[in-house]
Amino acid sequence: LRKEMESASQKFQYLSSLINQAAMKQLALPGSDFNRNDALKTAYDRCEQVTRKFSKTFYTGSMLMRPDARKHVWAIYAWCRRTDDLVDAPRPSASTESLQMELQDWEDRLEGIWRGEAVDLIDLAMVDSVQKFPLMSAQPYKDMISGMLMDVPGLGKDRYASFDELYLYCYRVAGTVGLMTLPILGTSPGISIDEASHPAISLGIGFQLTNILRDVGEDLVRGRIYLPQDELHAFGLCDDDIYRAEVTPQYVEFIKFQIGRARKFYQKAEDGLKTLAPDARFAIQASLDLYSQILTVIERNGYDNFRRRAYTTKMEKLAMIPGAMMKSR
């Protein structure tokens, strides 16, 4: 969720204008006959726009979901996007205290959504989703806020001593999305939300580990190394080796190990696909296949994730859809 626009200011300004213009013109005018149904349609349209603009892969996966689930998943994505933008928004240096206050206000506003209170259109879409799916919990959203803080200079960290530390980060910023969407996608008959949550979290962990492996070079520019320090050392590597950006034999073996771990999380998610409602499995299988393919591209690029960005082409994505459909049956 964190690396799909060119600059924090562009993201923040675009998203703020997209949401606030509609809210001001259509919801806040005294005497307006703009009823709730019209407001909800506009709200979900805005959520779809945000999702389509900021994450093409997520949007593609959502379009494979059953129609009545899509808009609620878009609402969740839009909320996550705004949380990310709030953390990344331009502010004076050394202003961590103001950010903490803003995030506390944001968490209070989140709790208001669960009380049926909407400040703007995105909130309104979230309120409607929570009311339609009462098994939705606010806790994963609070956990995501904590995860976003882990990336903030002065509040979070730019190194992870072990995979246990990195796992917590991955859960908070990505594993939580599985828990957010699970009540909307639904579970297989006889399977509880709790039982289906473990594969859902594993899928999010797999996604985030893939992001980390894809973006090693980009993260270096930001002064961040998400690769576990103890594992780097075990392969005879250190931060200086990473900053040299040389694809040495030791580095190749290290990345192979990391790719293997990410694939294990994808396998856990795929093994748990049967816990999902039958009409939700195709979309999740396709998302899993599309994203995990990035790992294959890293291999194809000779493990050079310093200079070569791993991505799948539109044709590659289309070619994977029939296989996903077959596996999800």
Side-chain angles (χ1 to χ4, degrees), residues 277-329:
D279 61 6
R281 295 172 189 171
F282 172 42
I284 301 305
Q285 181 70 63
S287 298
L288 187 158
D289 289 350
L290 290 170
Y291 224 81
S292 62
Q293 181 66 15
I294 293 172
L295 300 173
T296 302
V297 179
I298 293 173
E299 293 171 330
R300 198 163 65 208
N301 287 346
Y303 302 95
D304 184 0
N305 48 8
F306 296 117
R307 301 171 189 84
R308 302 182 66 183
R309 183 174 175 84
Y311 66 94
T312 53
T313 65
K314 287 184 178 180
M315 289 303 297
E316 287 173 324
K317 290 174 181 176
L318 288 172
M320 284 184 275
I321 296 300
M325 182 177 292
M326 292 297 295
K327 285 189 284 186
S328 63
R329 287 179 177 173

Short mmCIF file of all heavy atoms in Angstrom, two decimals, residues 277-329:
data_model
loop_
_atom_site.label_atom_id
_atom_site.label_comp_id
_atom_site.label_asym_id
_atom_site.label_seq_id
_atom_site.Cartn_x
_atom_site.Cartn_y
_atom_site.Cartn_z
N ALA A 277 -15.92 -18.53 1.21
CA ALA A 277 -17.16 -18.79 0.47
C ALA A 277 -16.80 -19.15 -0.97
O ALA A 277 -15.89 -18.55 -1.55
CB ALA A 277 -18.06 -17.57 0.51
N PRO A 278 -17.48 -20.13 -1.56
CA PRO A 278 -17.13 -20.56 -2.92
C PRO A 278 -17.05 -19.43 -3.94
O PRO A 278 -16.17 -19.43 -4.80
CB PRO A 278 -18.26 -21.54 -3.27
CG PRO A 278 -18.66 -22.11 -1.94
CD PRO A 278 -18.53 -20.96 -0.97
N ASP A 279 -17.95 -18.43 -3.82
CA ASP A 279 -17.95 -17.35 -4.82
C ASP A 279 -16.85 -16.30 -4.57
O ASP A 279 -16.71 -15.35 -5.34
CB ASP A 279 -19.32 -16.67 -4.91
CG ASP A 279 -19.76 -16.03 -3.61
OD1 ASP A 279 -18.96 -16.00 -2.64
OD2 ASP A 279 -20.92 -15.56 -3.54
N ALA A 280 -16.05 -16.49 -3.51
CA ALA A 280 -14.94 -15.57 -3.25
C ALA A 280 -13.59 -16.16 -3.65
O ALA A 280 -12.60 -15.45 -3.73
CB ALA A 280 -14.91 -15.22 -1.76
N ARG A 281 -13.57 -17.46 -3.92
CA ARG A 281 -12.28 -18.15 -4.10
C ARG A 281 -11.55 -17.75 -5.38
O ARG A 281 -10.32 -17.62 -5.38
CB ARG A 281 -12.50 -19.67 -4.08
CG ARG A 281 -13.01 -20.16 -2.73
CD ARG A 281 -13.40 -21.62 -2.77
NE ARG A 281 -14.08 -22.01 -1.54
CZ ARG A 281 -14.70 -23.17 -1.35
NH1 ARG A 281 -14.72 -24.07 -2.33
NH2 ARG A 281 -15.30 -23.42 -0.19
N PHE A 282 -12.28 -17.54 -6.45
CA PHE A 282 -11.63 -17.20 -7.73
C PHE A 282 -10.85 -15.90 -7.62
O PHE A 282 -9.68 -15.81 -8.01
CB PHE A 282 -12.67 -17.13 -8.83
CG PHE A 282 -12.15 -16.61 -10.14
CD1 PHE A 282 -10.92 -17.01 -10.65
CD2 PHE A 282 -12.90 -15.69 -10.88
CE1 PHE A 282 -10.44 -16.52 -11.86
CE2 PHE A 282 -12.43 -15.20 -12.09
CZ PHE A 282 -11.19 -15.61 -12.57
N ALA A 283 -11.48 -14.87 -7.05
CA ALA A 283 -10.82 -13.57 -6.94
C ALA A 283 -9.55 -13.65 -6.09
O ALA A 283 -8.51 -13.07 -6.44
CB ALA A 283 -11.78 -12.54 -6.34
N ILE A 284 -9.61 -14.40 -5.00
CA ILE A 284 -8.46 -14.51 -4.12
C ILE A 284 -7.36 -15.36 -4.76
O ILE A 284 -6.17 -15.02 -4.68
CB ILE A 284 -8.87 -15.08 -2.75
CG1 ILE A 284 -9.93 -14.18 -2.10
CG2 ILE A 284 -7.66 -15.24 -1.85
CD1 ILE A 284 -9.52 -12.73 -1.96
N GLN A 285 -7.75 -16.45 -5.42
CA GLN A 285 -6.75 -17.27 -6.11
C GLN A 285 -6.05 -16.47 -7.21
O GLN A 285 -4.83 -16.56 -7.37
CB GLN A 285 -7.42 -18.51 -6.71
CG GLN A 285 -6.46 -19.45 -7.43
CD GLN A 285 -5.53 -20.18 -6.48
OE1 GLN A 285 -5.97 -20.94 -5.63
NE2 GLN A 285 -4.23 -19.95 -6.60
N ALA A 286 -6.83 -15.70 -7.95
CA ALA A 286 -6.24 -14.89 -9.02
C ALA A 286 -5.29 -13.84 -8.45
O ALA A 286 -4.19 -13.63 -8.97
CB ALA A 286 -7.35 -14.22 -9.83
N SER A 287 -5.69 -13.19 -7.36
CA SER A 287 -4.82 -12.20 -6.73
C SER A 287 -3.53 -12.84 -6.24
O SER A 287 -2.44 -12.29 -6.40
CB SER A 287 -5.55 -11.53 -5.55
OG SER A 287 -6.69 -10.83 -6.00
N LEU A 288 -3.66 -14.02 -5.65
CA LEU A 288 -2.49 -14.76 -5.17
C LEU A 288 -1.56 -15.09 -6.33
O LEU A 288 -0.34 -14.87 -6.25
CB LEU A 288 -2.96 -16.04 -4.46
CG LEU A 288 -1.94 -16.90 -3.73
CD1 LEU A 288 -2.65 -17.77 -2.68
CD2 LEU A 288 -1.15 -17.81 -4.66
N ASP A 289 -2.11 -15.61 -7.41
CA ASP A 289 -1.29 -16.00 -8.56
C ASP A 289 -0.62 -14.78 -9.20
O ASP A 289 0.57 -14.83 -9.57
CB ASP A 289 -2.15 -16.72 -9.60
CG ASP A 289 -2.58 -18.11 -9.13
OD1 ASP A 289 -2.06 -18.58 -8.10
OD2 ASP A 289 -3.45 -18.72 -9.80
N LEU A 290 -1.38 -13.69 -9.34
CA LEU A 290 -0.84 -12.50 -9.97
C LEU A 290 0.32 -11.91 -9.17
O LEU A 290 1.35 -11.54 -9.74
CB LEU A 290 -1.95 -11.45 -10.13
CG LEU A 290 -3.05 -11.75 -11.15
CD1 LEU A 290 -4.19 -10.75 -11.02
CD2 LEU A 290 -2.50 -11.72 -12.57
N TYR A 291 0.14 -11.83 -7.88
CA TYR A 291 1.16 -11.19 -7.06
C TYR A 291 2.37 -12.09 -6.84
O TYR A 291 3.51 -11.62 -6.86
CB TYR A 291 0.57 -10.75 -5.72
CG TYR A 291 1.03 -9.36 -5.34
CD1 TYR A 291 0.41 -8.25 -5.89
CD2 TYR A 291 2.08 -9.16 -4.46
CE1 TYR A 291 0.82 -6.97 -5.58
CE2 TYR A 291 2.51 -7.88 -4.14
CZ TYR A 291 1.88 -6.80 -4.70
OH TYR A 291 2.32 -5.52 -4.39
N SER A 292 2.14 -13.37 -6.63
CA SER A 292 3.27 -14.28 -6.39
C SER A 292 4.14 -14.41 -7.64
O SER A 292 5.32 -14.76 -7.55
CB SER A 292 2.78 -15.66 -5.94
OG SER A 292 1.97 -16.26 -6.94
N GLN A 293 3.58 -14.10 -8.80
CA GLN A 293 4.36 -14.16 -10.04
C GLN A 293 5.52 -13.16 -10.02
O GLN A 293 6.53 -13.35 -10.71
CB GLN A 293 3.44 -13.89 -11.24
CG GLN A 293 4.12 -13.94 -12.60
CD GLN A 293 4.64 -15.34 -12.97
OE1 GLN A 293 4.26 -16.32 -12.35
NE2 GLN A 293 5.49 -15.42 -13.97
N ILE A 294 5.38 -12.11 -9.22
CA ILE A 294 6.47 -11.13 -9.10
C ILE A 294 7.74 -11.80 -8.61
O ILE A 294 8.85 -11.44 -9.02
CB ILE A 294 6.05 -9.98 -8.16
CG1 ILE A 294 4.92 -9.17 -8.80
CG2 ILE A 294 7.24 -9.07 -7.82
CD1 ILE A 294 4.30 -8.13 -7.88
N LEU A 295 7.60 -12.80 -7.74
CA LEU A 295 8.77 -13.53 -7.24
C LEU A 295 9.47 -14.25 -8.39
O LEU A 295 10.70 -14.29 -8.45
CB LEU A 295 8.34 -14.54 -6.17
CG LEU A 295 7.66 -13.95 -4.92
CD1 LEU A 295 7.15 -15.07 -4.03
CD2 LEU A 295 8.62 -13.04 -4.16
N THR A 296 8.69 -14.80 -9.30
CA THR A 296 9.26 -15.48 -10.47
C THR A 296 10.02 -14.49 -11.35
O THR A 296 11.08 -14.81 -11.91
CB THR A 296 8.15 -16.17 -11.28
OG1 THR A 296 7.47 -17.11 -10.43
CG2 THR A 296 8.72 -16.90 -12.48
N VAL A 297 9.48 -13.27 -11.45
CA VAL A 297 10.14 -12.25 -12.26
C VAL A 297 11.47 -11.83 -11.61
O VAL A 297 12.46 -11.60 -12.32
CB VAL A 297 9.23 -11.03 -12.47
CG1 VAL A 297 9.95 -9.96 -13.29
CG2 VAL A 297 7.93 -11.43 -13.16
N ILE A 298 11.51 -11.76 -10.29
CA ILE A 298 12.78 -11.47 -9.60
C ILE A 298 13.82 -12.52 -9.95
O ILE A 298 14.98 -12.21 -10.25
CB ILE A 298 12.57 -11.40 -8.07
CG1 ILE A 298 11.70 -10.19 -7.71
CG2 ILE A 298 13.92 -11.30 -7.34
CD1 ILE A 298 11.31 -10.14 -6.24
N GLU A 299 13.40 -13.78 -9.96
CA GLU A 299 14.31 -14.87 -10.36
C GLU A 299 14.76 -14.69 -11.80
O GLU A 299 15.93 -14.86 -12.13
CB GLU A 299 13.61 -16.21 -10.17
CG GLU A 299 13.33 -16.55 -8.71
CD GLU A 299 12.44 -17.77 -8.54
OE1 GLU A 299 11.59 -18.02 -9.43
OE2 GLU A 299 12.58 -18.47 -7.53
N ARG A 300 13.80 -14.34 -12.66
CA ARG A 300 14.09 -14.17 -14.08
C ARG A 300 15.06 -13.00 -14.31
O ARG A 300 15.85 -13.01 -15.26
CB ARG A 300 12.78 -13.93 -14.82
CG ARG A 300 12.85 -14.17 -16.33
CD ARG A 300 11.44 -14.31 -16.88
NE ARG A 300 10.65 -13.10 -16.75
CZ ARG A 300 9.32 -13.09 -16.65
NH1 ARG A 300 8.65 -14.23 -16.62
NH2 ARG A 300 8.66 -11.96 -16.54
N ASN A 301 15.00 -12.02 -13.41
CA ASN A 301 15.89 -10.86 -13.51
C ASN A 301 17.27 -11.13 -12.91
O ASN A 301 18.05 -10.19 -12.72
CB ASN A 301 15.26 -9.65 -12.80
CG ASN A 301 14.10 -9.06 -13.57
OD1 ASN A 301 13.90 -9.36 -14.75
ND2 ASN A 301 13.32 -8.23 -12.90
N GLY A 302 17.55 -12.39 -12.61
CA GLY A 302 18.85 -12.72 -12.05
C GLY A 302 19.02 -12.25 -10.62
O GLY A 302 20.14 -12.01 -10.16
N TYR A 303 17.90 -12.09 -9.90
CA TYR A 303 17.88 -11.68 -8.49
C TYR A 303 18.37 -10.24 -8.29
O TYR A 303 18.71 -9.85 -7.17
CB TYR A 303 18.69 -12.65 -7.62
CG TYR A 303 18.18 -14.06 -7.72
CD1 TYR A 303 18.76 -14.96 -8.63
CD2 TYR A 303 17.12 -14.49 -6.95
CE1 TYR A 303 18.27 -16.26 -8.76
CE2 TYR A 303 16.63 -15.79 -7.07
CZ TYR A 303 17.20 -16.66 -7.97
OH TYR A 303 16.71 -17.95 -8.11
N ASP A 304 18.39 -9.46 -9.37
CA ASP A 304 18.79 -8.06 -9.26
C ASP A 304 17.57 -7.22 -8.94
O ASP A 304 16.87 -6.71 -9.82
CB ASP A 304 19.43 -7.59 -10.57
CG ASP A 304 19.95 -6.15 -10.46
OD1 ASP A 304 19.80 -5.55 -9.38
OD2 ASP A 304 20.50 -5.65 -11.45
N ASN A 305 17.29 -7.07 -7.65
CA ASN A 305 16.18 -6.21 -7.23
C ASN A 305 16.70 -4.85 -6.76
O ASN A 305 15.98 -4.12 -6.08
CB ASN A 305 15.33 -6.88 -6.15
CG ASN A 305 16.17 -7.47 -5.02
OD1 ASN A 305 17.38 -7.27 -4.96
ND2 ASN A 305 15.53 -8.21 -4.13
N PHE A 306 17.93 -4.55 -7.12
CA PHE A 306 18.48 -3.22 -6.88
C PHE A 306 18.14 -2.26 -8.02
O PHE A 306 17.75 -1.12 -7.80
CB PHE A 306 20.01 -3.28 -6.74
CG PHE A 306 20.49 -4.07 -5.55
CD1 PHE A 306 21.24 -5.22 -5.74
CD2 PHE A 306 20.20 -3.67 -4.26
CE1 PHE A 306 21.71 -5.95 -4.65
CE2 PHE A 306 20.66 -4.39 -3.17
CZ PHE A 306 21.41 -5.54 -3.36
N ARG A 307 18.29 -2.74 -9.24
CA ARG A 307 18.16 -1.88 -10.42
C ARG A 307 17.00 -2.28 -11.33
O ARG A 307 16.56 -1.47 -12.14
CB ARG A 307 19.45 -1.90 -11.24
CG ARG A 307 20.67 -1.43 -10.45
CD ARG A 307 21.96 -1.68 -11.22
NE ARG A 307 23.12 -1.43 -10.37
CZ ARG A 307 23.63 -2.33 -9.54
NH1 ARG A 307 23.08 -3.53 -9.44
NH2 ARG A 307 24.68 -2.04 -8.80
N ARG A 308 16.56 -3.53 -11.24
CA ARG A 308 15.51 -4.02 -12.14
C ARG A 308 14.23 -4.25 -11.36
O ARG A 308 14.18 -5.11 -10.48
CB ARG A 308 15.97 -5.30 -12.84
CG ARG A 308 17.26 -5.15 -13.63
CD ARG A 308 17.62 -6.44 -14.33
NE ARG A 308 16.67 -6.80 -15.37
CZ ARG A 308 16.74 -7.91 -16.10
NH1 ARG A 308 17.73 -8.77 -15.89
NH2 ARG A 308 15.84 -8.16 -17.03
N ARG A 309 13.21 -3.48 -11.67
CA ARG A 309 11.93 -3.63 -10.97
C ARG A 309 11.16 -4.81 -11.55
O ARG A 309 10.98 -4.90 -12.77
CB ARG A 309 11.10 -2.36 -11.08
CG ARG A 309 9.78 -2.43 -10.31
CD ARG A 309 9.06 -1.11 -10.33
NE ARG A 309 7.76 -1.18 -9.70
CZ ARG A 309 7.54 -1.08 -8.38
NH1 ARG A 309 8.57 -0.91 -7.58
NH2 ARG A 309 6.33 -1.14 -7.88
N ALA A 310 10.73 -5.69 -10.69
CA ALA A 310 9.99 -6.88 -11.13
C ALA A 310 8.51 -6.55 -11.27
O ALA A 310 7.88 -6.05 -10.33
CB ALA A 310 10.19 -8.01 -10.13
N TYR A 311 7.97 -6.81 -12.44
CA TYR A 311 6.54 -6.60 -12.66
C TYR A 311 6.05 -7.58 -13.71
O TYR A 311 6.84 -8.14 -14.48
CB TYR A 311 6.27 -5.16 -13.12
CG TYR A 311 6.84 -4.83 -14.48
CD1 TYR A 311 6.06 -4.96 -15.63
CD2 TYR A 311 8.16 -4.40 -14.62
CE1 TYR A 311 6.59 -4.69 -16.88
CE2 TYR A 311 8.69 -4.11 -15.88
CZ TYR A 311 7.89 -4.25 -16.99
OH TYR A 311 8.41 -3.98 -18.23
N THR A 312 4.75 -7.79 -13.73
CA THR A 312 4.16 -8.67 -14.73
C THR A 312 3.44 -7.83 -15.77
O THR A 312 2.85 -6.79 -15.45
CB THR A 312 3.17 -9.66 -14.09
OG1 THR A 312 2.21 -8.92 -13.31
CG2 THR A 312 3.90 -10.64 -13.18
N THR A 313 3.49 -8.27 -17.01
CA THR A 313 2.84 -7.55 -18.10
C THR A 313 1.34 -7.87 -18.10
O THR A 313 0.88 -8.82 -17.47
CB THR A 313 3.44 -7.96 -19.45
OG1 THR A 313 3.14 -9.35 -19.68
CG2 THR A 313 4.95 -7.75 -19.46
N LYS A 314 0.60 -7.08 -18.84
CA LYS A 314 -0.84 -7.33 -18.96
C LYS A 314 -1.10 -8.71 -19.57
O LYS A 314 -2.02 -9.43 -19.15
CB LYS A 314 -1.50 -6.25 -19.81
CG LYS A 314 -1.62 -4.91 -19.11
CD LYS A 314 -2.37 -3.91 -19.98
CE LYS A 314 -2.52 -2.58 -19.25
NZ LYS A 314 -3.25 -1.58 -20.07
N MET A 315 -0.30 -9.09 -20.55
CA MET A 315 -0.49 -10.39 -21.18
C MET A 315 -0.21 -11.53 -20.20
O MET A 315 -0.93 -12.53 -20.19
CB MET A 315 0.42 -10.51 -22.41
CG MET A 315 0.01 -9.63 -23.58
SD MET A 315 -1.69 -9.97 -24.13
CE MET A 315 -1.54 -11.67 -24.68
N GLU A 316 0.82 -11.35 -19.36
CA GLU A 316 1.11 -12.37 -18.36
C GLU A 316 -0.03 -12.50 -17.36
O GLU A 316 -0.39 -13.60 -16.95
CB GLU A 316 2.41 -12.03 -17.63
CG GLU A 316 3.66 -12.26 -18.48
CD GLU A 316 4.92 -11.76 -17.80
OE1 GLU A 316 4.87 -10.73 -17.10
OE2 GLU A 316 5.97 -12.41 -17.96
N LYS A 317 -0.58 -11.37 -16.98
CA LYS A 317 -1.70 -11.39 -16.04
C LYS A 317 -2.91 -12.09 -16.64
O LYS A 317 -3.55 -12.93 -15.98
CB LYS A 317 -2.06 -9.96 -15.62
CG LYS A 317 -1.01 -9.29 -14.74
CD LYS A 317 -1.35 -7.83 -14.47
CE LYS A 317 -0.28 -7.18 -13.62
NZ LYS A 317 -0.52 -5.73 -13.41
N LEU A 318 -3.23 -11.75 -17.87
CA LEU A 318 -4.37 -12.38 -18.53
C LEU A 318 -4.18 -13.89 -18.68
O LEU A 318 -5.13 -14.68 -18.52
CB LEU A 318 -4.59 -11.75 -19.91
CG LEU A 318 -5.16 -10.33 -19.92
CD1 LEU A 318 -5.15 -9.76 -21.33
CD2 LEU A 318 -6.58 -10.32 -19.35
N ALA A 319 -2.94 -14.29 -18.95
CA ALA A 319 -2.65 -15.72 -19.13
C ALA A 319 -2.84 -16.51 -17.85
O ALA A 319 -3.08 -17.73 -17.90
CB ALA A 319 -1.22 -15.89 -19.65
N MET A 320 -2.76 -15.85 -16.69
CA MET A 320 -2.90 -16.56 -15.42
C MET A 320 -4.34 -16.73 -14.97
O MET A 320 -4.64 -17.57 -14.11
CB MET A 320 -2.10 -15.83 -14.33
CG MET A 320 -0.61 -16.03 -14.42
SD MET A 320 0.26 -15.24 -13.03
CE MET A 320 0.43 -13.59 -13.68
N ILE A 321 -5.26 -15.98 -15.55
CA ILE A 321 -6.65 -15.99 -15.09
C ILE A 321 -7.31 -17.37 -15.27
O ILE A 321 -7.95 -17.87 -14.33
CB ILE A 321 -7.47 -14.90 -15.82
CG1 ILE A 321 -6.93 -13.52 -15.45
CG2 ILE A 321 -8.94 -15.02 -15.47
CD1 ILE A 321 -6.99 -13.18 -13.98
N PRO A 322 -7.19 -18.03 -16.44
CA PRO A 322 -7.83 -19.35 -16.57
C PRO A 322 -7.33 -20.36 -15.55
O PRO A 322 -8.12 -21.15 -15.00
CB PRO A 322 -7.47 -19.76 -18.00
CG PRO A 322 -7.22 -18.49 -18.72
CD PRO A 322 -6.57 -17.60 -17.71
N GLY A 323 -6.04 -20.35 -15.28
CA GLY A 323 -5.50 -21.28 -14.29
C GLY A 323 -6.05 -21.01 -12.90
O GLY A 323 -6.34 -21.95 -12.15
N ALA A 324 -6.18 -19.73 -12.56
CA ALA A 324 -6.74 -19.38 -11.26
C ALA A 324 -8.18 -19.85 -11.14
O ALA A 324 -8.62 -20.32 -10.09
CB ALA A 324 -6.65 -17.87 -11.05
N MET A 325 -8.91 -19.73 -12.25
CA MET A 325 -10.31 -20.15 -12.23
C MET A 325 -10.41 -21.66 -12.00
O MET A 325 -11.24 -22.13 -11.20
CB MET A 325 -10.99 -19.78 -13.55
CG MET A 325 -12.46 -20.13 -13.60
SD MET A 325 -13.24 -19.57 -15.15
CE MET A 325 -13.17 -17.79 -14.94
N MET A 326 -9.55 -22.42 -12.64
CA MET A 326 -9.57 -23.88 -12.50
C MET A 326 -9.19 -24.28 -11.06
O MET A 326 -9.83 -25.15 -10.46
CB MET A 326 -8.60 -24.52 -13.49
CG MET A 326 -9.03 -24.38 -14.94
SD MET A 326 -10.60 -25.22 -15.28
CE MET A 326 -10.12 -26.93 -14.99
N LYS A 327 -8.15 -23.66 -10.52
CA LYS A 327 -7.70 -24.03 -9.18
C LYS A 327 -8.72 -23.67 -8.09
O LYS A 327 -8.76 -24.30 -7.04
CB LYS A 327 -6.36 -23.34 -8.87
CG LYS A 327 -5.19 -23.96 -9.58
CD LYS A 327 -3.85 -23.38 -9.08
CE LYS A 327 -3.58 -22.02 -9.62
NZ LYS A 327 -2.24 -21.51 -9.26
N SER A 328 -9.52 -22.64 -8.35
CA SER A 328 -10.45 -22.17 -7.31
C SER A 328 -11.76 -22.95 -7.28
O SER A 328 -12.57 -22.76 -6.39
CB SER A 328 -10.76 -20.69 -7.53
OG SER A 328 -11.42 -20.49 -8.76
N ARG A 329 -11.95 -23.85 -8.22
CA ARG A 329 -13.21 -24.62 -8.26
C ARG A 329 -13.21 -25.75 -7.24
O ARG A 329 -12.19 -26.31 -6.92
CB ARG A 329 -13.42 -25.19 -9.66
CG ARG A 329 -13.80 -24.13 -10.68
CD ARG A 329 -13.98 -24.70 -12.06
NE ARG A 329 -14.42 -23.68 -13.01
CZ ARG A 329 -14.52 -23.87 -14.31
NH1 ARG A 329 -14.21 -25.05 -14.85
NH2 ARG A 329 -14.93 -22.91 -15.10
#
